[in-house]
Amino acid sequence: MKITFHGAAQEVTGSCFLVETESTRFLVDCGMYQGGRQASTRNHEPFAFDAKSIDFVLLTHAHIDHSGLLPKLTKAGFAGTIHCTSATADLLQVMLLDSAHIQENDAERAKRYAKSRRARQAVNEPLYTQIDAQNMLKQVRLHDYDREITPDTGIRCQFRDAGHILGSAIIEIWLTEGTKTIKIVFSGDLGQPGRPIICDPTIIDETDILVIESTYGNRVHKDMTATEAELITAIEETLKNGGNVIVPAFAVGRTQEVLYHLHRLSRLGRLHHLKVFVDSPMATEVTRITQNHMDLFDVAARDLAGWHNLGKDIPFLYFTESVAESKGLNQVRSGAIIISASGMCTAGRIKHHLVHNLPREECSVLITGFQAEGTLGRRLIDGAKRVRIFGDEIPVRASIYSAGGGLSAHADLPALLAWTGHFQRPPQHTFVVHGEQTAATDFAESLRQAHGWQVSVPEPGQEVMV
């Protein structure tokens, strides 16, 4: 049996792992690379494996860095089944069609602005179209948490709640060849315990091989008290100064969590006179999907009045419905909290709001999530005085706040060590993935120190026998 680390090896995005037995080849995730100038080039490169030879895919969750190349996989000849949770399947309907729309628009825009025929011919075609995404979605099969499935002969799997976003899963896999059975656990992205809305990650107590994420493998998040204080300060100071608060937020998970906190803090009397706009069609649709899966929420989220009818029972909340309404927000000079995607400021309507508000010192940008190297959001966090958006140099005079730690959908170092501490015996080997090189290396060392485990940080494309 062999695992090849085709993505998310010493980096955060592009999650893709090929597992091979004597008779079966399957993928765990097939994600898109995000951030940095090389991301588009890498996404357009041919797969390092024959897509036609893949028997099935196990998908941990719907985030694009885990699911975003699935339509490309189908387009390249993959004809098998994509297994995921029910909530993940619902999210894929929105996210991958949106991704395809972005691919088509970006390619068309690049051709339109190319200065010569040769330049136009050099523009990459879309990774996939909306038709490609629709074809891929026909291959998706839904599963409940904690129910064993048999995707192929000699292979048993189970999706367990990862506590990361709606529908996210840890995947337990049992592979049998002859008289030998080996268990592999892919953590997917693990959530931070104690966060609102989503339940805590499921405890796993036994495995032979562990493949675990390390996004925040060398960081300790702010506690929720500090995070709420940062959020309140950012909003109150900005509104007092007569500006707007711009909130880049991932459409899946983060937008809904920010709304939860704003609603809760408003009800507690800690925030006043709010006017919140969700300016992201995908975030709006995902919020509707979220409301359809209340059974996956924790008790506090289910009990918070108004959460069941966002936009109706929360008087300060508005969802933009059209491009004209979105453009209209750029005429608002003060008093608005604008939540928009993408969460790393790499695409979408958030870039327009940054163009109009970054140059204004009375405004602020509230960062609420992880910002990968090479992204616009990362440059803002790192203190850039000027940033390039839509080809123009934009001065950064707005205040930049970061509440991402306490709102993070990823477990921090103490949480990762606590989760791994429940294993009754050490895995035969642990592979640390889905983290920038320093974070992955530091977390691997923490696992050795805390548990005495045998741990490796695989290189991109590395093959290991298990």
Side-chain angles (χ1 to χ4, degrees):
M1 303 178 192
K2 182 170 69 175
I3 303 175
T4 306
F5 298 88
H6 285 295
Q10 301 184 19
E11 60 185 323
V12 174
T13 64
S15 181
C16 185
F17 312 107
L18 174 62
V19 182
E20 299 175 81
T21 70
E22 291 180 352
S23 59
T24 307
R25 307 178 86 222
F26 65 91
L27 296 180
V28 176
D29 290 348
C30 190
M32 189 179 289
Y33 295 102
Q34 297 176 297
R37 295 180 179 178
Q38 297 302 313
S40 178
T41 299
R42 297 176 70 188
N43 287 326
H44 278 87
E45 290 174 351
F47 289 113
F49 47 82
D50 180 5
K52 296 177 183 177
S53 72
I54 303 301
D55 295 295
F56 60 90
V57 176
L58 301 175
L59 182 62
T60 61
H61 63 288
H63 274 155
I64 290 298
D65 61 323
H66 292 256
S67 71
L69 292 187
L70 285 171
K72 178 185 173 184
L73 187 72
T74 294
K75 185 178 179 182
F78 167 67
T81 300
I82 299 165
H83 299 275
C84 64
T85 67
S86 176
T88 293
D90 286 350
L91 293 173
L92 290 179
Q93 295 277 345
V94 177
M95 298 187 70
L96 292 181
L97 288 173
D98 180 77
S99 175
H101 178 67
I102 291 172
Q103 300 297 321
E104 292 173 320
N105 282 357
D106 285 352
E108 181 59 34
R109 186 181 300 110
K111 288 181 179 179
R112 192 163 58 245
Y113 288 104
K115 295 182 179 179
S116 67
R117 175 181 289 183
R118 179 175 295 180
R120 286 193 293 274
Q121 291 173 338
V123 172
N124 284 323
E125 290 298 315
L127 274 172
Y128 47 82
T129 66
Q130 294 180 71
I131 292 175
D132 294 326
Q134 288 168 342
N135 288 335
M136 176 240 109
L137 288 167
K138 297 174 184 177
Q139 298 169 242
V140 174
R141 184 174 175 185
L142 291 61
H143 303 283
D144 293 332
Y145 283 127
D146 307 324
R147 297 282 183 88
E148 191 172 290
I149 66 171
T150 306
D152 209 333
T153 303
I155 301 176
R156 297 180 291 118
C157 304
Q158 194 166 212
F159 293 92
R160 312 297 297 275
D161 195 338
H164 172 60
I165 64 167
L166 190 72
S168 62
I170 302 159
I171 305 179
E172 296 180 285
I173 307 169
W174 291 266
L175 306 174
T176 300
E177 288 184 346
T179 60
K180 178 184 178 182
T181 297
I182 186 171
K183 181 181 179 182
I184 304 176
V185 169
F186 287 85
S187 75
D189 287 356
L190 291 171
Q192 181 78 356
R195 286 173 55 242
I197 304 179
I198 302 297
C199 296
D200 289 354
T202 301
I203 297 302
I204 308 296
D205 60 10
E206 187 176 35
T207 191
D208 298 304
I209 302 295
L210 175 63
V211 181
I212 186 170
E213 71 123 323
S214 59
T215 310
Y216 286 107
N218 59 356
R219 297 270 298 277
V220 178
H221 293 327
K222 297 176 184 176
D223 63 26
M224 191 51 65
T225 300
T227 296
E228 288 184 348
E230 181 91 1
L231 192 150
I232 291 169
T233 297
I235 292 173
E236 289 191 335
E237 288 296 314
T238 304
L239 298 186
K240 182 178 70 175
N241 292 334
N244 298 319
V245 182
I246 307 302
V247 186
F250 301 110
V252 180
R254 192 53 42 85
T255 293
Q256 294 74 37
E257 188 169 352
V258 170
L259 293 178
Y260 171 92
H261 285 291
L262 293 178
H263 179 37
R264 175 177 170 274
L265 292 172
S266 174
R267 287 196 56 184
L268 292 173
R270 300 180 67 189
L271 284 174
H272 307 87
H273 311 300
L274 297 181
K275 187 171 287 189
V276 180
F277 299 89
V278 176
D279 186 34
S280 166
M282 185 164 68
T284 299
E285 184 59 30
V286 169
T287 302
R288 294 192 182 106
I289 291 171
T290 300
Q291 291 173 284
N292 292 335
H293 289 277
M294 292 291 291
D295 57 307
L296 301 181
F297 284 23
D298 64 17
V299 174
R302 290 198 300 268
D303 290 347
L304 183 62
W307 181 251
H308 294 71
N309 290 294
L310 287 174
K312 295 181 180 179
D313 293 345
I314 304 178
F316 59 75
L317 179 59
Y318 308 87
F319 291 90
T320 58
E321 297 291 341
S322 67
V323 172
E325 286 180 301
S326 176
K327 290 181 177 179
L329 292 178
N330 293 325
Q331 307 305 314
V332 178
R333 303 299 292 173
S334 65
I337 301 169
I338 301 172
I339 304 171
S340 189
S342 70
M344 297 186 194
C345 311
T346 55
R349 296 180 178 182
I350 190 64
K351 297 177 76 172
H352 294 277
H353 299 307
L354 291 173
V355 166
H356 285 84
N357 290 274
L358 276 177
R360 302 174 55 209
E361 62 183 14
E362 66 270 29
C363 294
S364 67
V365 178
L366 178 61
I367 301 294
T368 62
F370 180 80
Q371 306 298 308
E373 288 185 354
T375 61
L376 174 56
R378 182 65 164 260
R379 290 194 289 278
L380 292 174
I381 284 287
D382 288 344
K385 300 302 181 185
R386 304 181 71 85
V387 293
R388 182 173 289 274
I389 306 177
F390 301 132
D392 296 325
E393 288 289 330
I394 307 297
V396 180
R397 301 190 185 101
S399 299
I400 310 298
Y401 294 91
S402 176
L407 296 178
S408 179
H410 288 272
D412 62 4
L413 175 58
L416 288 168
L417 291 177
W419 186 80
T420 55
H422 288 280
F423 284 92
Q424 295 179 358
R425 57 179 174 81
Q428 294 173 15
H429 205 99
T430 295
F431 297 97
V432 174
V433 298
H434 204 284
E436 293 174 358
Q437 187 173 18
T438 300
T441 302
D442 289 351
F443 179 50
E445 183 58 30
S446 294
L447 285 173
R448 296 186 194 102
Q449 295 279 347
H451 304 319
W453 288 3
Q454 185 174 342
V455 186
S456 298
V457 179
E459 296 181 358
Q462 183 176 337
E463 300 177 355
V464 297
M465 302 303 297
V466 297

